[in-house]
Amino acid sequence: MIRERLCREYLEEIDRLERSLRELEEELIELRMQLNLKVDEANRLAIENASLRHRVEMMERREKRLVEFLRKLKIPLIYIDEERFEDVDVDLGPDSKD
């Protein structure tokens, strides 16, 4: 009787542990899928970042070539550091004489 009771308790514990193990396996599968999605997203962002960096480099090269061309033509250039100026609202409408 004690032996049967102990065996039953052990079997119930084994069942409970097996269910827990299955739940953990399912959670692990879900976490792997989420990780794969995040890796895919990181790869897409890295590719987009590289593409944007390339475009910026190309624009900077074009700007340098244009500046050199304008200098060769002896066209006066004015450089404005836009980061040092605040945005100002400008009214381009006709002047009103009140």
Side-chain angles (χ1 to χ4, degrees), residues 52-66:
L52 290 173
R53 189 177 304 119
H54 176 72
R55 288 174 61 187
V56 167
E57 289 172 359
M58 296 300 290
M59 289 173 64
E60 288 172 346
R61 285 187 204 137
R62 253 183 261 136
E63 179 184 6
K64 287 179 184 177
R65 286 195 306 256
L66 180 59

Side-chain angles (χ1 to χ4, degrees), residues 12 17 19-20 25 40-41 56 69 71 83 89 95:
E12 288 173 358
L17 291 172
R19 282 193 306 274
S20 294
E25 287 172 341
D40 289 345
E41 182 181 3
V56 167
F69 177 72
R71 279 190 180 141
E83 293 177 7
D89 291 330
D95 290 337

Side-chain angles (χ1 to χ4, degrees), residues 30-49:
E30 183 178 331
L31 289 172
R32 281 186 182 146
M33 289 186 333
Q34 290 176 7
L35 177 62
N36 287 339
L37 290 174
K38 293 293 183 184
V39 167
D40 289 345
E41 182 181 3
N43 287 336
R44 281 193 306 275
L45 290 173
I47 291 168
E48 183 179 348
N49 188 28

Side-chain angles (χ1 to χ4, degrees), residues 1-49:
M1 177 155 153
I2 295 177
R3 187 175 181 173
E4 291 173 5
R5 187 171 148 226
L6 282 175
C7 286
R8 186 170 19 111
E9 288 177 5
Y10 285 137
L11 289 174
E12 288 173 358
E13 182 65 15
I14 289 171
D15 284 344
R16 187 188 69 74
L17 291 172
E18 285 177 343
R19 282 193 306 274
S20 294
L21 183 61
R22 280 192 297 274
E23 290 171 4
L24 289 172
E25 287 172 341
E26 290 171 3
E27 189 175 337
L28 183 60
I29 290 169
E30 183 178 331
L31 289 172
R32 281 186 182 146
M33 289 186 333
Q34 290 176 7
L35 177 62
N36 287 339
L37 290 174
K38 293 293 183 184
V39 167
D40 289 345
E41 182 181 3
N43 287 336
R44 281 193 306 275
L45 290 173
I47 291 168
E48 183 179 348
N49 188 28

